[in-house]
């Protein structure tokens, strides 16, 4: 198939009409508008990608999930991380789209400058051509008028010669000669204008051909640039989809490692409060009890009862739920109505290790220590009655052992 050329298809038979050139200029203006439309598309898409990426990052950072444990928590953290990664990827895509947009803008401006240069040259050529054409047509009109006047004068001379009037004959002869000389002079000017117009026409044709070639090259470049830009745009979007899927695949892998039984076991091992239910409360006859021991300190018993009560009603401020840690066993006494708490001060196990506080506890007695969830304390002694001696910030005191987790 023969390739068509602008220079062969945009001429006009009328010498003063320039419709072909005007069609080409309009085509380049339409192409410039198309470039602007593509720029607007990429600009709006870049803005949408940036907004989407920022919203994903915000969603990931506000997702929470801190209350979950073990493998499900790891999977959820992976999901948050990958959502944030997807958001960053879409922001990067917005940057690439803006770079592509900048390239099209620069190309459009280069084409505009080049087109303006050739348009200016063509406008000058067309103006010169029309001026010479007008001048030539006026000289032609003058030439034709002079020829007509010369012919009429010669005919008058012939009629005068036939009449035999010598004086009138000479006068008609001189007039005919003057008219003929004027016609010859007009013809000379007319021919000169024709020659000059032909030179102008030749220059205009060459300029028109050169302009057509430049305009066709511009149009080819524009179509190529926009086609390649849209192709790259589609490739970027496809790549982004693949990248998003790869990131979410990591989340799916993490979810495969989420085992229900494992999470249940982890929760029980880290949060267990005891393996045996409390025993039945037996009846104690007030009158059958033995006299109170003399070595039992009321203050100490009161303190231990308060600590035991604190253990039974301990709570976490952050979780807002009641936690019942393990408490020392009750020992029946035959000499009292209430069961006392067995205290074995000699059964402590000396140690010095760091523990994390799981729940808040407010000291009920002078020998106890205030602790808050998340604190790190050093356990000095682990007592079998459930109350451990701990140190925090240089202060020592009793704390519930079930409120601590070994690091």
């Amino acid at each position: 198939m023969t390739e068509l050329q602008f220079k062969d298809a945009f001429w006009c038979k009328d010498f003063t009409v320039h419709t072909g050139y005007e069609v080409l200029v309009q085509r380049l203006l339409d192409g410039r508008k198309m470039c602007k439309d593509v720029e607007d598309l990429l600009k709006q898409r870049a803005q949408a990608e940036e907004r989407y990426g920022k919203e994903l990052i915000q969603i990931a950072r506000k997702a929470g999930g801190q209350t979950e444990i073990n493998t499900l928590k790891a999977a959820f953290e992976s999901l948050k991380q990958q959502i944030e990664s997807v958001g960053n990827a879409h922001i990067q895509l917005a940057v690439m789209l803006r770079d592509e947009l900048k390239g099209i803008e620069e190309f459009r401006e280069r084409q505009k400058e080049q087109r303006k240069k050739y348009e200016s040259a063509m406008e000058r050529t067309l103006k010169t051509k029309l001026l010479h054409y007008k001048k030539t047509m006026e000289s032609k009109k003058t030439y034709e008028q002079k020829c007509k006047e010369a012919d009429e004068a010669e005919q008058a001379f012939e009629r005068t010669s036939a009449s035999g009037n010598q004086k009138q004959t000479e006068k008609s002869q001189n007039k005919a000669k003057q008219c003929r000389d004027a016609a010859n002079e007009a013809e000379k000017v007319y021919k000169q204008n024709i020659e000059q117009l032909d030179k102008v026409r030749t220059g205009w044709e060459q300029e028109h051909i050169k302009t057509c070639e430049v305009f066709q090259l511009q149009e080819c470049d524009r179509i190529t640039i926009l086609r390649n830009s849209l192709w790259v745009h589609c490739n970027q979007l496809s790549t982004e989809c693949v990248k998003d899927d790869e990131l979410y695949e990591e989340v799916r892998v993490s979810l495969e490692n989420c085992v229900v039984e494992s999470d249940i076991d982890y929760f029980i091992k880290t949060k267990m409060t005891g393996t045996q239910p409390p025993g039945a409360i037996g009846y104690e006859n007030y009158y059958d009890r033995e006299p109170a021991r003399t070595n039992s300190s009321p203050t100490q018993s009161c303190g231990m009862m308060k600590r035991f009560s604190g253990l039974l009603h301990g709570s976490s401020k952050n979780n807002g739920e009641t936690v019942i840690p393990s408490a020392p066993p009750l020992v029946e006494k035959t000499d009292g109505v209430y069961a006392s708490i067995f205290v074995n001060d000699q059964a402590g196990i000396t140690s010095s290790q760091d523990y994390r506080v799981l729940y808040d506890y407010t000291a009920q007695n002078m020998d106890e220590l205030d602790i808050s969830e998340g604190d790190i304390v050093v356990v000095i002694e682990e007592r079998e009655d459930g109350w451990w001696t701990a140190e925090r910030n240089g202060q020592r005191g009793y704390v519930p052992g079930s409120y601590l987790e070994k690091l």
Side-chain angles (χ1 to χ4, degrees), residues 350-385:
T350 303
S351 62
S352 180
Q353 296 189 21
D354 291 340
Y355 283 74
R356 179 185 289 108
V357 177
L358 299 177
Y359 314 102
D360 295 346
Y361 178 75
T362 302
Q364 305 295 323
N365 295 286
M366 297 296 294
D367 59 349
E368 296 176 0
L369 179 67
D370 287 336
I371 55 176
S372 300
E373 180 182 355
D375 287 349
I376 305 299
V377 300
V378 178
V379 174
I380 306 302
E381 182 182 11
E382 300 179 7
R383 298 165 57 91
E384 292 183 355
D385 60 2

Side-chain angles (χ1 to χ4, degrees), residues 68-263:
E68 193 47 65
I69 60 173
N70 210 30
T71 59
L72 181 57
K73 180 177 182 179
F76 189 70
E77 291 296 326
S78 176
L79 176 61
K80 293 197 298 181
Q81 178 183 353
Q82 299 311 327
I83 289 177
E84 185 169 348
S85 298
V86 170
N88 288 325
H90 281 273
I91 292 176
Q92 184 61 34
L93 174 60
V95 174
M96 291 189 292
L97 292 177
R98 289 194 175 97
D99 291 340
E100 188 69 24
L101 167 65
K102 184 177 180 181
I104 297 178
E105 289 177 343
E106 293 175 351
F107 169 77
R108 176 168 55 84
E109 290 303 316
R110 288 197 304 270
Q111 280 211 328
K112 177 183 177 182
E113 293 177 2
Q114 188 180 32
R115 175 173 55 82
K116 286 292 184 182
K117 182 175 67 174
Y118 280 89
E119 280 185 353
S120 299
M122 276 296 294
E123 291 296 331
R124 289 193 299 269
T125 303
L126 293 175
K127 185 176 181 180
T128 302
K129 185 187 77 164
L130 292 177
L131 288 175
H132 277 79
Y133 176 77
K134 182 178 180 181
K135 183 178 180 180
T136 301
M137 292 301 102
E138 289 176 352
S139 65
K140 178 184 178 182
K141 184 177 180 180
T142 302
Y143 163 67
E144 291 175 347
Q145 182 64 31
K146 295 297 182 182
C147 287
K148 183 178 180 181
E149 292 175 357
D151 290 342
E152 290 176 352
E154 289 174 351
Q155 291 175 3
F157 170 67
E158 290 176 359
R159 287 193 301 270
T160 304
S161 298
S163 66
N165 189 334
Q166 185 66 27
K167 186 176 180 179
Q168 289 291 333
T169 300
E170 289 179 359
K171 186 177 179 180
S172 296
Q173 184 180 9
N174 289 335
K175 184 178 179 180
K177 185 177 181 302
Q178 290 176 356
C179 289
R180 180 55 61 187
D181 290 342
N184 291 335
E185 184 63 26
E187 180 183 17
K188 182 180 179 181
V189 172
Y190 175 46
K191 287 182 178 179
Q192 289 176 350
N193 287 336
I194 287 291
E195 292 175 359
Q196 185 65 29
L197 180 61
D198 191 62
K199 291 180 181 179
V200 172
R201 180 192 62 80
T202 302
W204 164 74
E205 287 183 358
Q206 293 175 352
E207 188 67 29
H208 180 80
I209 291 172
K210 183 168 62 174
T211 301
C212 287
E213 291 174 344
V214 171
F215 283 3
Q216 183 168 353
L217 181 60
Q218 277 199 334
E219 188 67 1
C220 291
D221 290 344
R222 183 189 68 82
I223 294 174
T224 301
I225 288 294
L226 293 185
R227 182 194 64 179
N228 292 343
S229 178
L230 295 177
W231 193 291
V232 168
H233 177 58
C234 292
N235 286 344
Q236 289 172 338
L237 298 182
S238 297
T239 302
E240 188 61 33
C241 292
V242 174
K243 192 172 184 179
D244 290 353
D245 186 69
E246 291 176 352
L247 293 174
Y248 288 129
E249 178 62 24
E250 295 187 20
V251 181
R252 288 190 285 268
V253 171
S254 179
L255 288 171
E256 289 177 355
N257 295 328
C258 177
V259 181
V260 176
E261 294 78 5
S262 176
D263 282 15

Side-chain angles (χ1 to χ4, degrees), residues 307 345 361 367-369 383 387-390 396-400:
R307 282 199 289 269
D345 293 335
Y361 178 75
D367 59 349
E368 296 176 0
L369 179 67
R383 298 165 57 91
W387 289 90
W388 296 359
T389 303
R396 290 190 181 186
Y398 291 117
V399 297

